[in-house]
Amino acid sequence: MTRTARPSVLVVDDEPHSLASMRMALEDEFDVLTATSADQAMALLQDEWVQVIFCDQRMPGRSGVQLLACVRERWPEIVRIIITGYTDPADMTEAINAAGIYQFLTKPWHPEHLLMAARNAAALFSMTREHERLSLEMRHLGSTTQTKLEKRRRDLRERQGFDAILRSPHSSMNAVIEAARQYASFDVPVLISGEAGTGKQDLARAMHHASLRADKPFYALNCAGLPDDLLELELFGARRGAVAGLAGNRIGLMQKADRGTLYLGGVETLGPRLQMALLRVLREGSFQPLGAHEGVRSNLRLICGVTGDLRALMAEGVLRTDLGYAISAGELTLPPLRGRRGDVALLAQAALFDAAATHGKLVRGFDDVALQFLENYDWPGNLRELDNEITRMLVFAQDPVLGADLISRHILQACPAQDGADRALDPILTREGPLKDRVELVEMRILRETLTRHRWNKSRAAAELGLSRVGLRAKIDRYGIPDTSGQTTMEEED
């Protein structure tokens, strides 16, 4: 396999010690060329392809600015950085005008600062080259290139739109998606309610990409758990000096999302002052940054998310009634994962392949028994819990097809009822009925989980449970536990 060429950096300094120090700081990530004078540097540039040049200002003969001015004329695409111990404004102005300096580094420089400057400069060089390539392509191909660009944008919107929300043909999500499509076309505030982890932000993003604002930015912020002062800064921004340590103006999400869409999750956790400020944005289309004396207008679309029932939150006083109605011109309720049993297999497969690609592990999917256990569990943590469980299974998987033995014990012990299982033993312990029946239900769950975890190796399961194999067989027959291993010789293995 051909190794990707590293960016080349030219370092120019008349002091050998400085050259050695800069080479040491950069050579792990860059191909470093060195020169001790302007003439030597120009000679190197004739033969070498360089993306970034670091040059000391004070050198014998031509100064750094004079050298970089020549470089600008002959190789304008090279990113030019000057290193100086002096920061006189007049000198800086001359350097910018004459040599088109990208950045000044002052002495003494720190290796991390030098490395960061080199990374940023190399990235700028690559982006400039890509921009030039695309500009040339646009000039030569005209409308054909424009069509391709529009297709790329359309494909991107589709990948982040409603088609990216996985669901089966008969999913309970289909009705929600259809309603969301209708709301997406109308520029009205929409409230998305549902349990934590049901994908409210993904639905908001899909609505944005299906709206007339699709070519404008989409921002998202989960307000839950954040203090009001930090939220106020993030949402509304601040003027210089309004917040301790803030050297300049801070632009908030309300201003960044102008003409685009802003999704705010957990709005029920906002304090009274922030709720009132949010109401002002909806009513007047303006907000006031911290330290500002005048309001700033923003033409954004607001989509909010709450965990719980909107009317119950308003009745309890958690959410202002006027704000609740202002954010809910359209309402969508996402079903929990336990209400989407037909989607679990599809979501689990997608999560597995995403995790496998992230961690570089080759897999082919789940076996039928594993999918059955995953579908029968009620997933109180919804999509987040499912993603975590699939990732954990991938970590411990030894085969390309993941089996039920990799599933967490609390999921294996869950009751395989059609409507889902209890997540713990508490409902069994508190339910009414004879003690014998309740104990047998617990025993059945433990037997089923242990057999599955040992891939129906009855010898190992019996040893763990302290039973003879004959006693284990009797209990399996008594409770009617089906053999899900698909093998008949497992019990003979050690």
Side-chain angles (χ1 to χ4, degrees):
M1 184 173 64
T2 304
R3 187 174 71 89
T4 303
R6 301 193 304 175
S8 295
V9 174
L10 173 60
V11 180
V12 186
D13 198 311
D14 61 317
E15 296 182 7
H17 175 71
S18 296
L19 283 181
S21 299
M22 286 189 277
R23 175 189 286 276
M24 186 179 300
L26 299 173
E27 63 185 358
D28 287 344
E29 298 186 23
F30 298 90
D31 291 332
V32 183
L33 304 171
T34 59
T36 57
S37 66
D39 292 339
Q40 186 180 359
M42 292 296 289
L44 277 172
L45 290 171
Q46 295 280 0
D47 301 323
E48 301 288 346
W49 192 57
V50 173
Q51 289 97 319
V52 184
I53 180 169
F54 288 88
C55 184
D56 186 34
Q57 164 62 359
R58 294 182 177 270
M59 296 187 299
R62 280 187 286 182
S63 69
V65 171
Q66 291 172 332
L67 168 62
L68 295 183
C70 294
V71 172
R72 183 185 190 184
E73 290 181 5
R74 300 189 60 180
W75 301 282
E77 70 277 8
I78 297 178
V79 182
R80 300 168 294 279
I81 300 175
I82 198 162
I83 302 175
T84 179
Y86 305 91
T87 56
D88 182 72
D91 292 341
M92 295 173 67
T93 302
E94 178 191 357
I96 293 172
N97 293 334
I101 300 300
Y102 166 67
Q103 187 175 353
F104 288 86
L105 284 182
T106 58
K107 295 181 179 181
W109 47 264
H110 190 279
E112 286 297 326
H113 295 164
L114 186 75
L115 185 59
M116 183 60 68
R119 289 171 180 164
N120 293 339
L124 176 63
F125 180 90
S126 298
M127 287 189 293
T128 303
R129 298 278 292 190
E130 179 67 9
H131 175 72
E132 292 174 353
R133 185 189 68 80
L134 290 175
S135 298
L136 183 63
E137 183 178 321
M138 288 290 287
R139 285 197 299 270
H140 286 285
L141 298 181
S143 60
T144 303
T145 304
Q146 186 65 30
T147 302
K148 289 181 179 179
L149 187 59
E150 288 299 326
K151 184 178 183 299
R152 290 177 185 174
R153 289 174 177 171
R154 185 170 60 253
D155 292 343
L156 177 62
R157 288 196 295 268
E158 289 175 356
R159 286 196 299 271
Q160 295 182 328
F162 293 115
D163 291 340
I165 301 176
L166 297 179
R167 59 198 186 279
S168 64
H170 304 291
S171 171
S172 58
M173 278 291 292
N174 291 334
V176 180
I177 296 300
E178 286 306 310
R181 288 185 191 274
Q182 293 295 112
Y183 285 130
S185 304
F186 293 85
D187 212 8
V188 297
V190 176
L191 179 72
I192 305 174
S193 60
E195 295 180 5
T198 49
K200 294 187 283 292
Q201 181 175 317
D202 292 336
L203 182 60
R205 180 180 288 106
M207 292 177 64
H208 167 75
H209 286 288
S211 72
L212 297 176
R213 299 172 179 257
D215 59 339
K216 298 300 186 291
F218 172 84
Y219 291 94
L221 177 66
N222 187 357
C223 304
L226 295 178
D228 278 6
D229 54 351
L230 179 58
L231 279 172
E232 189 172 11
L233 181 61
E234 286 293 324
L235 289 174
F236 305 119
R239 294 291 181 257
R240 182 173 55 188
V243 178
L246 188 63
N249 293 336
R250 171 75 174 269
I251 299 177
L253 291 178
M254 290 288 179
Q255 189 170 351
K256 290 180 180 179
D258 184 29
R259 298 187 297 165
T261 304
L262 174 62
Y263 170 75
L264 292 181
V267 293
E268 74 277 9
T269 64
L270 294 176
R273 185 165 56 87
L274 284 182
Q275 290 192 28
M276 191 65 208
L278 188 59
L279 182 62
R280 180 188 176 189
V281 173
L282 290 165
R283 285 179 172 174
E284 304 173 10
S286 66
F287 63 93
Q288 193 164 339
L290 293 173
H293 301 293
E294 297 180 355
V296 177
R297 298 199 63 81
S298 179
N299 177 24
L300 61 81
R301 182 185 190 177
L302 191 63
I303 300 178
C304 295
V306 296
T307 302
D309 179 72
L310 171 64
R311 282 151 189 82
L313 292 170
M314 292 191 297
E316 295 167 2
V318 175
L319 193 66
R320 288 178 60 102
T321 303
D322 47 4
L323 177 61
Y325 287 120
I327 63 177
S328 60
E331 291 187 60
L332 298 168
T333 301
L334 284 178
L337 199 51
R338 61 181 175 275
R340 302 173 56 189
R341 298 209 176 274
D343 298 345
V344 170
L346 190 64
L347 293 167
Q349 294 279 14
L352 175 62
F353 293 135
D354 286 345
T358 300
H359 300 288
K361 195 168 185 177
L362 182 64
V363 293
R364 292 205 302 267
F366 301 94
D367 64 23
D368 292 340
V369 178
L371 288 177
Q372 180 183 353
F373 275 102
L374 295 175
E375 288 178 332
N376 282 333
Y377 184 57
D378 61 0
W379 300 107
N382 293 300
L383 295 173
R384 295 172 191 166
E385 184 184 6
L386 176 65
D387 288 343
N388 290 342
E389 178 65 22
I390 300 308
T391 301
R392 194 197 64 78
M393 292 176 67
L394 177 71
V395 169
F396 290 99
Q398 301 298 320
D399 301 314
V401 178
L402 280 62
D405 56 298
L406 297 168
I407 298 175
S408 297
R409 298 183 67 173
H410 69 281
I411 298 177
L412 295 177
Q413 290 177 358
C415 178
Q418 184 65 29
D419 295 330
D422 298 328
R423 298 189 290 273
L425 291 177
D426 289 348
I428 300 173
L429 299 175
T430 58
R431 67 186 292 183
E432 296 181 357
L435 176 62
K436 178 176 176 295
D437 293 345
R438 292 156 69 184
V439 171
E440 287 180 348
L441 182 56
V442 174
E443 186 177 58
M444 184 272 289
R445 291 193 185 185
I446 294 174
L447 287 169
R448 182 169 172 269
E449 177 269 325
T450 306
L451 287 164
T452 302
R453 185 159 40 83
H454 288 293
R455 301 188 179 186
W456 276 79
N457 185 314
K458 298 185 182 70
S459 297
R460 293 179 183 173
E464 178 180 319
L465 297 171
L467 300 171
S468 67
R469 283 176 42 179
V470 174
L472 178 61
R473 274 202 199 93
K475 289 184 179 294
I476 292 172
D477 295 339
R478 176 182 177 185
Y479 294 123
I481 303 174
D483 185 344
T484 57
S485 67
Q487 302 182 40
T488 58
T489 59
M490 269 314 231
E491 64 182 84
E492 304 303 329
E493 298 178 3
D494 292 332

